[in-house]
Amino acid sequence: MKRLLVTIGVLVLVAAGCYATWNRLQRERENTWQVAMAKGLAAHSAKRDADAEEILKNVLPNTEKWWPKGPHLIETLSWLGTIERVELKHALAEPLLKRAVELAEQQGSAQTIVVGRAKLNLGIIARDQFDDVEAQKYFSEAAEILSKDPRGAWGDDDAALLNLGFMADKEGRYQEAVSYLTRAAAGYDALFGRTLDPDMANAHAHLGDVYRHLDNYPDAAEQYQAALKIYEQIEGPQGKDVRNIVTGLAIVQQGTAAVPRTQIDHSLDTSKNPADADGTSLNNLGVLAQEQKQYAKAEEFFQRACEAYEKSGGRNEVDLATALENLGDLYRDQPQFDIRKAEPILKRALAIREKVLGAEHPETAKILSDLSLLYFYEKNPAAAEEFARRALPLEVKVFGAESLPVSTTLNRLGISERELGKFKEAEANLKRALAIREEKHAPAQWIVISLVNLASVYAAQGQQEKAAPLLARAQAIHSQSPSN
């Protein structure tokens, strides 16, 4: 019995020693991993991603051996994949990130910040590979996970929302884009405050772009101003983003006291060196020059914008279509140019948008409406009517039946129907366009155009008693316009 008790005592001492050894080994492993992760993430924060990648690569084999399915391995894979994605090593990053997500799902921990971050980076990879469906899926899942813990996400939740907003804008879902980008901008503002962060500026800039697409120029200007303050401090006064925002801001603030003539002239004199300008700033400068009635300069800027986008490759096809559209509209609208140049340019823009954005995208509809007016000018009212009818339901779907873009296409449809002798249809569409413009307080010149066009329908039918009051009202508005 005594011998048995001695044996048991020895076994207990051995077990205790083994446990102490195992416990010490676990602490050493934990310490080794924690130190390596801290060094790697510090290097990543300091933008020394090559160093960060090397540190995490070195710790990964031991992590796989020590914790083959645990949270240590999931976090190591997620961070290593994130860093390699930042370095644009997508082929290396993607399998690491997917493995992290799969392990987390197997362990029942798919709703953690680590997984949300991995899905965010998988979304960015899919976006950069033009797989919008996959990107949308990952960004939505990342946003759902990360938004539950904004402090732990530390801006990654806002990055997911920013990307969702960018994609919604690209696909013409403008109101949805406003919702995502408003949340992203507010999140970045709360997180960074006065700290300069390019993503915070990007959120405000993209939100300004969406408001510009919606013709909401006051809100666009407010967002551009917020972005500009950040970009100027990060890049300096000659930075690329600064130039883009300055020209965009000048466009949305045209005719207001907020933009002195000297600033507009300065904007038009910038980017004279083709090597020092990108397509976005050149296209904005073209719009600005056109609004200042400097049409030759506008043509030059639009042509240079097209060249810049074509040199940059397929990624900028949508932007190329916008520059082509602006150039085609310039040739269509200004008598100093040959109108015959407009059709092939606008048709090329239409083909790009139909291919990249789809037949029902609002930007595609805008080209259809632009071509309607071109064919009207070229005295082809049947084609003008056809293109206006194609554009109208798409614009109603996106902007609403009582929106200004719809009023523009209704106006073009109405004058086409007038030329075809469809007076009843023309009257109805032109009346509707006028009502929208009055309700939305459109610029005075828009009201004048609607009044004159509606009067012309009555005049064509010999109904001068209906035409005369409309023309008198148009003349009164025109004479009171500040530009006169």
Side-chain angles (χ1 to χ4, degrees), residues 184-354:
Y188 281 128
D189 289 346
L191 178 64
F192 295 114
R194 296 184 179 181
T195 304
L196 302 178
D197 184 83
D199 287 333
M200 181 164 60
N202 291 340
H204 286 290
H206 283 311
L207 185 53
D209 290 341
V210 178
Y211 281 132
R212 186 172 159 190
H213 291 156
L214 290 167
D215 293 330
N216 183 347
Y217 284 4
D219 284 345
E222 181 181 348
Q223 295 302 321
Y224 283 154
Q225 289 278 19
L228 182 60
K229 288 179 182 178
I230 302 169
Y231 284 140
E232 283 180 329
Q233 295 179 71
I234 293 175
E235 301 179 350
Q238 298 304 315
K240 182 186 77 171
D241 292 310
V242 172
R243 292 198 305 268
N244 291 345
I245 290 292
V246 166
T247 52
L249 186 59
I251 290 168
V252 299
Q253 290 187 325
Q254 271 287 313
T256 71
V259 183
R261 179 61 195 233
T262 52
Q263 180 178 334
I264 294 174
D265 290 340
H266 175 72
S267 296
L268 292 174
D269 286 337
T270 61
S271 302
K272 290 183 178 179
N273 180 3
D276 188 40
D278 65 0
T280 300
S281 60
L282 289 167
N283 184 66
N284 283 344
L285 287 165
V287 173
L288 196 56
Q290 186 172 6
E291 292 181 351
Q292 291 296 304
K293 297 182 170 45
Q294 300 182 35
Y295 300 124
K297 187 172 283 189
E299 178 190 29
E300 176 195 349
F301 282 131
F302 289 144
Q303 288 175 339
R304 286 173 56 194
C306 291
E307 292 170 3
Y309 286 134
E310 286 174 328
K311 286 179 181 177
S312 61
R315 179 178 294 275
N316 290 306
E317 273 192 297
V318 173
D319 295 321
L320 170 60
T322 299
L324 288 167
E325 177 189 27
N326 288 333
L327 182 59
D329 287 350
L330 181 70
Y331 289 147
R332 177 197 66 192
D333 296 339
Q334 301 308 321
Q336 70 192 74
F337 299 111
D338 184 352
I339 196 172
R340 292 172 296 182
K341 291 182 177 180
E343 184 177 12
I345 292 173
L346 289 175
K347 282 195 167 180
R348 183 183 174 198
L350 175 62
I352 292 172
R353 284 187 176 161
E354 287 179 328

Side-chain angles (χ1 to χ4, degrees), residues 365-387:
K366 188 173 183 300
I367 291 280
L368 294 171
S369 185
D370 288 344
L371 280 163
S372 171
L373 186 59
L374 172 65
Y375 290 128
F376 174 81
Y377 286 157
E378 291 186 328
K379 303 188 184 310
N380 186 351
E385 180 189 31
E386 175 197 347
F387 277 84

Side-chain angles (χ1 to χ4, degrees), residues 5-15:
L5 291 174
V6 170
T7 302
I8 291 173
V10 170
L11 290 174
V12 169
L13 290 173
V14 169

